[in-house]
Amino acid sequence: MAVVEQEKEQTLTVQLPASVVSDIESEARKMGLHPSSYLLALHSFRTGRADPSLAPAIREIFTHDTKTLKKLAE
């Protein structure tokens, strides 16, 4: 079994215009994500760590299958 070493997490704080924050929050809600998760997903798509074609699947899972996700989390 392979052991995967996890990176240390850090917090990134950015100053943005209120309209940009509102747009990010709105887009995140459409995908059923928190803004930080939405931004991480965008970064993953941009850097090639995740295929952009996964976006519809993410939206489907987090907006329509929330009950299933909650059960899995338990």
Side-chain angles (χ1 to χ4, degrees):
M1 175 166 46
V3 177
V4 178
E5 190 174 320
Q6 290 185 325
E7 280 188 61
K8 182 180 176 189
E9 292 185 358
Q10 294 182 333
T11 299
L12 174 66
T13 303
V14 294
Q15 295 291 321
L16 301 169
S19 61
V20 173
V21 172
S22 179
D23 288 346
I24 290 171
E25 290 172 339
S26 176
E27 291 301 312
R29 271 192 306 277
K30 289 177 187 176
M31 294 186 76
L33 300 172
H34 292 285
S36 58
S37 298
Y38 171 74
L39 293 172
L40 184 57
L42 288 180
H43 176 70
S44 295
F45 296 149
R46 176 71 175 100
T47 59
R49 292 184 181 140
D51 189 324
S53 67
L54 291 174
I58 292 170
R59 183 179 296 111
E60 179 70 22
I61 291 168
F62 285 95
T63 58
H64 299 294
D65 293 334
T66 54
K67 290 179 184 176
T68 302
L69 287 172
K70 287 179 183 175
K71 291 282 186 190
L72 288 171
E74 292 174 357

